[in-house]
Structure formats: structure tokens, C-alpha cells
Amino acid sequence: MNIKNLLKSREMITIALAIGFIIVVGIAQPNFVQFSNLARVLNSTVILALLTAGVAVVIITKNIDVSVGSTMALTGIVAALMLKSGVSMFIVIPLTLLFGGILGAINGLGVTIGRVPSIVMTLGTLGAYRGISFMITGGHSVENIPSEFKKMGTTSLLGLPLFVWLTLGILIVLGLILSKTKTGRTIYATGDNITGAHLIGVPTKTMTVVAFATSGMFASMAALVFLAQIGSISNQAGAGIEMRAIAAAVIGGVALTGGVGTILGASFGALFITTATSSLSFLGVPGFWSDMVIGAILLLALFADSQVGKRMERKRLQARYQRTAPPPTASNNHAATPETITTGGAVS
């Protein structure tokens, strides 16, 4: 099996696991697979799927973003305050997305211009953005969101919540951008081999900033969904969700080594995690078991990611050897062997 097929199989395994998990729980609890309940599961997946998609773009560039939960809280609080003050939601929505993009770009600039490792940079902004949220709210929730905005959270189309359809469309667009456009190809090139990509003219620093800005923007989308679904927000919103987003991306086949993964796989990773947690709750399993299950799944995904990374590195080394090794020559009526090529000695 070559690397391309191996990576595709990881996505297919994730998709099969998500569907299989639903079937197994449905056998144990038939009510779980009722259309109305599955619609609720999909609606619950929206926030995690948006966060996972943004995180996946960053991971593809061989970076990490652990600040998306705090970004979601801060942008959501700012959006809620604007809505409460009477600003039209048609102005609030684009301003919130812009604000999220700026917060994400700050991470990207710290990584590229400041040369701060992404895990350190985003850990710093995780605390900073959460602290700013607390300062703005004074530790209190922002409530009484206008009903016209909350109405979006209860609107359905063809039996599914409106946000499910909107999120599906957004994820398809992002997936096409990554797979079919020059920008997408340069993002993959940046994560696959940043030095080589820079040498052939790829604006690697710009692409890294774009990836982080995308992550911030998708976190702000998740914040808007959270506001519409819940109707309020606090400075603790999204606490810890960044770990689930990273887990979903890795489970969905996005390699931590960079340059590998798709939005399709990451989205099904989010669906799998949401289905797992929802089904355990549906079966009456205590909540702490959900975290343990997700942790175990993440460890398995990290192990698989490590094995894929090792196999890809072996393939690269083999390809490099084939390009650089001199052609075999015959000496003293003996054919050259790999030992001859690598040591320069003759076979006796």
C-alpha cells in the first residue's frame, strides 16, 4: 500500500468508525438512531467541526493552535455585546469574523516574525484571550441576546438545523480551496517541506499567517453558532474544546508532521467524537468516561500518525537515494551491489 492510499484509508476508517459507532449504539438503544436525535447530534457537531476545520489548516502547515477555545470565547463575547447594544446582526457577523481572523493572524505573526514555536505562542494567547474575556465581562455571562439572532439557532431546513447546512457548505468550500487552488497547494507545501517550499518561491511565512487567520476566523464562526444555540456566553465558553478539535483533526487523518490531511477527514473526526460523547451520555454513562474514551482514541490516532510519519520518511529517503546513487557498474566480471554503491568498494 503506498502512502497516498494509506492516508486515504485513514480517512475511510474514520468515516467507517463514525457510522459504525452510530449503528452499534442504535442496536443497543434504537431511539438513538431516530432522525430527530441524529439531527441533534449533527447540530451538536457544528461547533466542533468548525473549530476542527480551522485547526486542521494550521496543522497542515506543521504548526498547532491551542488557542481556538479562548478565541471562540473572546469573539463570542464581543459579538454578544454588540448585539445587545443594538448593532444589526448583518454588521456583527462580518465584524466578528474579521476580529477572529485578526486574533488568529496575531498567532501567525508571532510564529513567523517572532519565531516563537506555535505551541508556545498559542498557549500564550490562550491565556491572554481568556484573560481579556474575563476583563470585559467581569466574570459574568453576557445574556439576553436579541431573539432575531437566536432564531437562527432554532431554524430548520428539510428537517435539519440551518447551521448544519451552512456548516456543510462552508466545509465543502474550504475543502475545495485546499485541494483545488494554488493557495491550498502552497499551504500543503509549507507543511510538507518548509525549507524546500521557500527555495522554490512559496511564500511560506504568508501561508502560515493565512492558516492561523483561518483558524481564528473559524473559531469566531463557532462563537456565533454558540451564541445562537445557547443564547448567552461567558468567559469560560470553549474551555478545553481545543484539545477535542486537535484530537478530531488527528483522528481524521491530519498528520501532526504537516503537509497531510483533508477537511473531509477532519470533519468526520469531529462527528466521531461528538457521536461518541453523545452516545455515552445517551446510554447514561458518567461524563468523565467520555473524556477517558476521547483520550484513548487520541492516543491510538497519535500512534497511527507516528507510524504514517515514519513510513513517509522512509519513502522520502528511498526516493532521495534513488535520485543520488550512481548507476551500478560491473567490475572484475562481478555486478555492483548496494554495498558497492554505498561504500565505494569492490566486491571480491
Side-chain angles (χ1 to χ4, degrees), residues 133-147:
S133 300
F134 186 87
M135 291 171 59
I136 293 174
T137 63
H140 302 290
S141 298
V142 181
E143 301 178 349
N144 300 320
I145 306 300
S147 58

Side-chain angles (χ1 to χ4, degrees), residues 21-319:
F21 205 92
I22 293 173
I23 294 173
V24 169
V25 177
I27 294 173
Q29 284 286 346
N31 290 335
F32 184 78
V33 293
Q34 289 183 352
F35 183 80
S36 59
N37 187 67
L38 293 178
R40 283 193 292 270
V41 172
L42 289 174
N43 198 37
S44 300
T45 305
V46 167
I47 292 175
L48 183 59
L50 290 171
L51 291 172
T52 300
V55 166
V57 177
V58 172
I59 296 176
I60 287 172
T61 66
K62 205 175 181 178
N63 288 289
I64 200 78
D65 187 356
V66 298
S67 69
V68 289
S70 297
T71 301
M72 172 182 154
L74 180 54
T75 54
I77 286 170
V78 171
L81 292 174
M82 286 193 291
L83 288 168
K84 283 190 67 175
S85 65
V87 181
S88 170
M89 66 178 182
F90 298 106
I91 297 176
V92 170
I93 291 173
L95 286 179
T96 302
L97 297 179
L98 176 62
F99 184 40
I102 291 172
L103 294 179
I106 290 172
N107 286 328
L109 291 171
V111 171
T112 55
I113 305 301
R115 297 183 180 276
V116 180
S118 58
I119 183 65
V120 177
M121 183 67 197
T122 56
L123 275 173
T125 52
L126 178 151
Y129 295 165
R130 189 73 67 182
I132 295 171
S133 300
F134 186 87
M135 291 171 59
I136 293 174
T137 63
H140 302 290
S141 298
V142 181
E143 301 178 349
N144 300 320
I145 306 300
S147 58
E148 59 267 22
F149 185 81
K150 291 190 293 184
K151 187 178 180 180
M152 290 193 300
T154 58
T155 301
S156 297
L157 179 65
L158 301 177
L160 290 177
L162 176 63
F163 281 136
V164 172
W165 294 110
L166 291 176
T167 300
L168 180 61
I170 291 169
L171 295 178
I172 289 174
V173 170
L174 179 61
L176 290 174
I177 289 173
L178 286 178
S179 62
K180 302 296 183 181
T181 68
K182 181 180 179 180
T183 299
R185 290 191 292 272
T186 54
I187 286 175
Y188 278 103
T190 298
D192 183 55
N193 186 346
I194 189 168
T195 302
H198 179 72
L199 290 175
I200 62 174
V202 173
T204 54
K205 289 185 178 180
T206 300
M207 289 301 101
T208 300
V209 174
V210 167
F212 276 102
T214 301
S215 181
M217 186 177 296
F218 271 73
S220 65
M221 289 183 197
L224 292 170
V225 174
F226 185 94
L227 268 180
Q229 290 181 342
I230 306 301
S232 64
I233 191 167
S234 73
N235 63 295
Q236 290 301 312
I241 199 172
E242 55 275 339
M243 292 298 102
R244 293 197 175 199
I246 294 170
V250 175
I251 290 169
V254 182
L256 292 173
T257 50
V260 172
T262 66
I263 298 302
L264 173 65
S267 300
F268 270 95
L271 177 62
F272 176 72
I273 286 182
T274 305
T275 302
T277 53
S278 297
S279 61
L280 290 174
S281 176
F282 194 86
L283 294 172
V285 177
F288 66 86
W289 281 96
S290 298
D291 293 332
M292 189 183 73
V293 170
I294 298 305
I297 294 170
L298 177 57
L299 288 175
L300 289 173
L302 289 173
F303 176 77
D305 181 77
S306 173
Q307 296 306 306
V308 171
K310 290 179 181 177
R311 189 163 181 175
M312 291 179 69
E313 186 62 25
R314 286 198 298 268
K315 289 285 186 180
R316 289 195 185 100
L317 290 175
Q318 290 173 0

